[in-house]
Amino acid sequence: MVSAPALDGQPLACLRGAGGKTQERLARLGIYSVHDLLFHLPLRYEDRTSLTPIGALRHGVQAQIEGMVELTDLAAKGRRALVCRISDGSGGINLRFFHFSAEQRTRLKVGTRLRCFGEAREGYYGLEMVHPEYQVLDSPEAAPLSASLTPVYPLTEGLHQKTLRGLIGQALNLLHLAPGTLPEMLPEAVRQRHRFPVLAEALRMLHLPEPGASPQTLRIAQQRLAFEELLAHHLSLSRFRTQVRCHSAPRLTLSKAATHHFEQALPFGLTGAQRRVIAEIAADLQGPQPMMRLVQGDVGSGKTVVAARAALTALSANFQVAVMAPTELLAEQHVRSFRQWLEPLGAQVVFLAGRLKGAARRETLRVIAEGEAGVVLGTHALFQDEVRFQRLGLVIIDEQHRFGVHQRLALREKGRHDGLTPHQLIMTATPIPRTLAMLGYADLDISVIDELPPGRTPVKTAVIPATRRPEVIARIVDWVAQGRQAYWVCTLIEESETLQCEAAEKTAALLREALPEVRVGLIHGRMKSAEKDVVMAAFKAAEVDLLVATTVIEVGVDVPNAGLMVIENPERLGLAQLHQLRGRVGRGPGESHCLLMYQPPLTDTAKQRLGILRETADGFLIAERDLQLRGPGELLGVRQTGQVQFKVADLARDEALLDAVKAAADALLRNHPERVGPLLRRWLGDAGRYAEV
Ligand code: ADP
Ligand code: MG
C-alpha cells in the first residue's frame, strides 16, 4: 500500500508545541505519532455557541453563562474557598474556587463582567459552579461566541484541552497536505450504502465541526469511524479463530464411572444449567482442536464445579490443569474447592502462592515440572517463565475481564508441547450483551449458566440517601445482634486506589467508634495479600461481624452468613460492577439485603440506573439496560463495555451496524485481502500486528 511519509511514521516532534514533556504526556494516552493524534477523538462536545440565562440553569447541566459580579468574598462556612456571585437579570449563581490566587480575587471585583462555562450543581445556597472556566469580558465585542461546537478530548495529567486541540489542528493540516497517507479502506459500496464520508473527511468533521454542524452530521462521521473500527476488530478476532482451528489438542473424555464418582461425592446435585454446560464442554474436549469456550454465569451460579468437572476430564487422561484466578484470595478459595472435590479422586492440587519462597517454592515448581501436580492454581504468576508444566492439557481462567485478550493468547502458547495446544476454558460473571457476544468474542464459543442453585432468596435492594446513614447504622446493629454478618463497601469518585483505601480506613474507624459492640474488620487493595487473607479468614470464621471493604471484595468471596451489604456512593460505579458486588450476599439461607446509599442529589439518569438494580437481579438485563442508559451530552461517549475497549464504537449505539460489518468483512477478505493487514494496524496497533502472525 502507500509507503510515502505515512503519518504513523511521522514523529510528534515535527509539530509545534510538542516538546519532550508534552510527548511524555501524550504517550500516556497511547499517542506516539501524528497518526495516533488524528485517531484521538473527542469524548463529547461543549456547546459554547450560545449563552444560557442564569435563571434557566438546571442541576447537573453544563452551560455557558454571562453575568456581572455582585460580590466576591471568602466562603463564610466550610472549606476555605473564594465565592463570587454573578447575576444577569434572570437570576444569580455562586462561583466557587477552592484554589485561587490573591490576584484572581482582585480581578473578580464587583461590576466586572464574566463569561463562564461549567456544570451547575445544587449547593447549600442554591445552584453553584465549582471551578468554572471563565474569562473577564472587558467589552462584549472583544469576545464573540464560538461559532461551532468545541471538542472535548480525553486528557491526562498536565495536558490541557487547548494544547491537544492545537496539536490535532496541526495534524489535520498535515493530513490535508498529504491525503494519500491515510488511504481509504472501506469498500466503495459500503460507503455509498451508508452515505459515509471518506476517512480523512470524517476525522476532520469530528475534530473541527463546521459552524452549525448538526448532530446528525457528526453522528454519521462517527458511525463511519465506528464501522471501520468494528470491522477491524471483527477481522482480527475471526483470524485468531481460524488460526486456532488449525492447531491440534489432546482428545479428552471422562469415563462414565469417573463421572458418577465425581457427582456422587458432591454435597449437592447439579442444576440443569450446570449439566448442560458440562455437556458442551465435554463435547469440545473430545474434539481434535483446542476448546476455546467462555462460560458466563451470574455470581453464585456455580461455575467452579463446572470447571472442576472439566479439570477432572483432563486429569483422567494424565494431563495437567492450570487454573488462573485474578487475585490470591480467590485462587485460595478455588484451592479449597478443588481439593475438596478432586483429591478424594486421587488428584494432587497445588497452589503456587505469591508468598511461597525459597525451598518450598522450588519444591512446588518441581512437582509442576515433573507432572506430579495434577491441578496447579495461582494468579497470572502461573505464567512466568520459571513455571514449567510437564503435560498441560487444559487452562482454566476465572473472571476473564481482568485479563486481556492478548494475555489469554499468550497462555495458549505457553502450554504448547508435542504439537498439542491445551484447551482453554474461561469463566466470567460479567454478562455479555448479545452484541458483544456477536462481535467481541468472535474467537470464543459461549456457554451460559442461566440458573442459580436452588434455595437462594433474592437480595432485597433499597436505594437510600446518605442522609439516612444513622438508620443504616442502627440496622447493622440489629442485624449483627441476630448473629448475621455484613459488608460495608466504600467507593470513591477518582479512579484512585489510594483515596479509596483511605476512605475505607476512615469509615472503619468511625464505625468502630460508633458501634463498640460490633467487631469491625477492614480489607482494602493496598494491604498485603497475607494481611487480606487473615482478615478474610476471620470474616469467614465469623470472628468479624462487619467487613468494611473497598471494591476488592468484588470477585468471588463466598461467606453465606453475610447477608447485608451497604454500598456507599453506588452512583459512581457501573451497574455491572454493582451487580457483582451485590452477588456477595444472598448466598445462604435466610433473607438478604443490599442498601445503595447514594450522595444526594442524584440526576434523573442516575436515579433510573440505580432503580434498575432494585427491579431486577438478572445480570443480562442489567448489562443491556446499562448500555442503553447514558447521560445527556455523551454524543461520542467512549466507554468501556465489559471486555472490549473501543476507541469510537459503542455496541449499544452502533448495534445496527453489526450485520453490515460482518458482510463488509467477508467482502474485504474476498476482494481486497491486501487491505486487511493495514486496517488491523490502523485500529489495533500492536495487537493488530499480533493478529497477523
Ligand atoms: P460462581 O459462579 O460465582 O463462581 P461458585 O462456583 O463459587 O459460584 O458457587 C457458589 C456457591 O454455590 C458455592 O458455595 C458452591 O459450592 C455452591 N453450589 C454450586 N453449585 C451448586 C448446586 N448445584 N447446588 C447447590 N449449591 C451449589
Ligand atoms: Mg467464581
Side-chain angles (χ1 to χ4, degrees):
M1 304 231 50
V2 180
S3 58
L7 292 173
D8 52 347
Q10 197 101 289
L12 290 167
C14 71
L15 303 177
R16 261 172 296 118
K21 266 269 166 331
T22 304
Q23 285 183 35
E24 270 169 39
R25 290 173 183 143
L26 289 169
R28 269 188 256 139
L29 293 170
I31 301 173
Y32 300 95
S33 66
V34 171
H35 172 273
D36 294 339
L37 262 180
L38 288 172
F39 281 84
H40 190 68
L41 293 165
L43 274 173
R44 57 188 170 81
Y45 298 93
E46 284 171 356
D47 186 353
R48 303 183 182 204
T49 61
S50 62
L51 294 173
T52 303
I54 294 177
L57 288 175
R58 293 278 167 273
H59 169 75
V61 176
Q62 275 200 333
Q64 182 165 251
I65 53 174
E66 242 178 63
M68 204 81 91
V69 176
E70 293 187 327
L71 178 83
T72 295
D73 207 349
L74 292 179
K77 272 198 219 153
R79 191 171 151 197
R80 187 181 142 83
L82 184 69
V83 177
C84 169
R85 179 148 193 94
I86 64 168
S87 78
D88 67 353
S90 73
I93 185 169
N94 284 342
L95 313 178
R96 189 176 292 269
F97 302 92
F98 293 112
H99 310 283
F100 57 92
S101 62
E103 188 218 328
Q104 197 174 4
R105 193 176 169 182
T106 23
R107 276 215 86 184
L108 295 176
K109 62 175 185 290
V110 176
T112 308
R113 198 166 176 75
L114 295 184
R115 181 180 296 164
C116 312
F117 187 88
E119 183 181 323
R121 302 201 59 94
E122 203 67 63
Y124 281 114
Y125 308 101
L127 284 178
E128 61 178 30
M129 279 187 183
V130 176
H131 282 271
E133 281 178 49
Y134 71 88
Q135 72 188 112
V136 172
L137 299 181
D138 298 320
S139 68
E141 312 81 63
L145 293 172
S146 54
S148 46
L149 295 172
T150 310
V152 179
Y153 293 99
L155 292 177
T156 181
E157 215 178 308
L159 189 70
H160 299 286
Q161 290 293 351
K162 245 181 151 162
T163 317
L164 205 47
R165 281 180 202 138
L167 294 172
I168 289 173
Q170 294 179 58
L172 287 168
N173 285 340
L174 289 176
L175 177 61
H176 185 69
L177 293 174
T181 60
L182 214 53
E184 180 58 40
M185 309 244 198
L186 284 190
E188 182 65 27
V190 169
R191 275 200 296 119
Q192 286 188 354
R193 177 150 11 97
H194 297 273
R195 296 168 201 269
F196 285 152
V198 295
L199 177 64
E201 178 60 11
L203 288 172
R204 204 199 49 73
M205 284 160 81
L206 290 171
H207 286 300
L208 287 180
E210 277 172 7
S214 67
Q216 282 86 329
T217 325
L218 291 173
R219 172 105 184 84
I220 242 178
Q222 176 195 34
Q223 277 204 338
R224 159 70 181 73
L225 293 176
F227 192 99
E228 194 177 308
E229 181 175 34
L230 292 170
L231 181 63
H233 274 266
H234 189 76
L235 285 166
S236 141
L237 289 167
S238 48
R239 274 196 172 192
F240 280 145
R241 196 185 184 101
T242 319
Q243 282 161 25
V244 173
R245 293 285 177 256
C246 303
H247 294 174
S248 306
R251 307 184 73 141
L252 308 170
T253 38
L254 190 64
S255 71
K256 278 227 162 60
T259 308
H260 183 72
H261 248 92
F262 175 72
E263 291 189 12
Q264 281 301 301
L266 291 177
F268 46 74
L270 295 168
T271 63
Q274 284 171 322
R275 286 183 188 286
R276 178 171 40 77
V277 173
I278 283 174
E280 287 165 358
I281 293 170
D284 288 349
L285 291 176
Q286 276 175 35
Q289 293 153 346
M291 165 172 77
M292 295 213 302
R293 187 167 288 277
L294 177 83
V295 172
Q296 196 280 331
D298 230 335
V299 268
S301 61
K303 294 183 288 293
T304 320
V305 72
V306 169
R309 165 65 166 73
L312 185 61
T313 312
L315 292 171
S316 73
N318 275 323
F319 278 93
Q320 290 173 294
V321 181
V323 185
M324 185 161 88
T327 64
E328 292 254 319
L329 208 64
L330 194 57
E332 201 161 346
Q333 186 167 298
H334 284 333
V335 170
R336 280 189 289 271
S337 306
F338 277 78
R339 288 212 165 121
Q340 185 192 339
W341 296 328
L342 299 179
E343 279 188 348
L345 305 174
Q348 190 182 342
V349 177
V350 302
F351 178 28
L352 190 70
R355 61 174 177 277
L356 218 52
K357 297 268 146 48
R361 185 173 188 86
R362 278 196 299 280
E363 172 60 11
T364 304
L365 291 173
R366 185 192 66 77
V367 296
I368 298 171
E370 294 181 6
E372 285 169 34
V375 182
V376 182
L377 293 111
T379 61
H380 54 276
L382 274 190
F383 296 92
Q384 289 163 351
D385 280 343
E386 58 165 0
V387 188
R388 296 249 151 76
F389 290 86
Q390 198 216 14
R391 246 162 83 84
L392 188 58
L394 170 66
V395 175
I396 298 174
I397 305 175
D398 197 9
E399 301 295 352
Q400 139 82 1
H401 61 288
R402 303 274 163 136
F403 305 104
V405 175
H406 298 99
Q407 255 175 312
R408 191 177 84 220
L409 292 158
L411 300 190
R412 205 167 52 208
E413 294 312 303
K414 165 125 193 158
R416 291 186 69 174
H417 59 93
D418 302 339
L420 293 180
T421 301
H423 295 282
Q424 244 185 49
L425 180 65
I426 292 150
M427 298 186 291
T428 180
T430 310
I432 299 142
R434 195 183 61 84
T435 44
L436 255 187
M438 271 172 75
L439 185 94
Y441 278 108
D443 70 324
L444 292 171
D445 297 306
I446 298 181
S447 294
V448 181
I449 307 185
D450 51 4
E451 180 185 352
L452 290 181
R456 303 268 165 89
T457 45
V459 182
K460 289 190 189 136
T461 300
V463 181
I464 49 176
T467 43
R468 285 172 56 193
R469 199 182 176 97
E471 263 170 73
V472 171
I473 292 180
R475 191 141 161 206
I476 287 181
V477 175
D478 273 357
W479 183 261
V480 168
Q482 292 167 35
R484 305 279 315 261
Q485 291 163 278
Y487 296 99
W488 185 296
V489 185
C490 303
T491 62
L492 220 81
I493 200 159
E494 331 297 324
E495 298 284 88
S496 151
E497 216 191 337
T498 314
L499 286 179
Q500 208 177 77
C501 298
E502 280 171 11
E505 276 164 5
K506 233 185 248 162
T507 307
L510 287 174
L511 289 170
R512 275 191 187 118
E513 205 178 294
L515 308 172
E517 68 278 34
V518 172
R519 294 166 300 174
V520 178
L522 170 67
I523 189 163
H524 62 62
R526 276 200 308 173
M527 288 162 59
K528 295 218 172 66
S529 91
E531 293 171 329
K532 283 194 262 189
D533 290 353
V534 170
V535 176
M536 244 8 258
F539 192 55
K540 271 201 113 143
E543 289 155 11
V544 162
D545 304 310
L546 175 63
L547 184 63
V548 177
T550 55
T551 44
V552 292
I553 58 157
E554 182 192 341
V555 166
V557 186
D558 196 15
V559 182
N561 188 43
L564 171 65
M565 176 177 284
V566 179
I567 304 180
E568 284 202 80
N569 308 315
E571 68 275 18
R572 292 168 180 174
L573 298 183
L575 286 189
Q577 200 184 357
L578 286 169
H579 177 63
Q580 294 241 34
L581 278 167
R582 179 173 65 174
R584 300 300 118 220
V585 295
R587 299 199 144 205
E591 61 178 57
S592 49
H593 301 271
C594 177
L595 308 180
L596 303 172
M597 194 163 72
Y598 66 88
Q599 204 60 48
L602 274 192
T603 61
D604 285 345
T605 316
K607 257 183 219 150
Q608 247 180 305
R609 287 180 66 242
L610 295 181
I612 294 170
L613 285 177
R614 200 176 46 214
E615 282 153 27
T616 179
D618 179 337
F620 283 95
L621 199 65
I622 289 172
E624 301 278 3
R625 294 293 304 279
D626 200 14
L627 274 179
Q628 286 159 9
L629 265 186
R630 42 207 60 225
E634 272 182 283
L635 186 62
L636 288 190
V638 180
R639 56 164 68 197
Q640 197 173 337
T641 352
Q643 289 73 13
V644 184
Q645 204 166 3
F646 297 106
K647 285 192 173 88
V648 196
D650 176 314
L651 290 169
R653 190 193 56 209
D654 301 325
E655 178 173 3
L657 295 177
L658 285 178
D659 285 333
V661 165
K662 282 186 160 176
D666 293 339
L668 207 67
L669 283 170
R670 210 175 30 246
N671 306 328
H672 306 282
E674 78 289 352
R675 290 190 194 171
V676 175
L679 186 68
L680 296 193
R681 270 198 301 278
R682 175 180 290 173
W683 287 98
L684 302 171
D686 283 335
R689 265 172 216 127
Y690 188 56
E692 284 179 72
V693 291

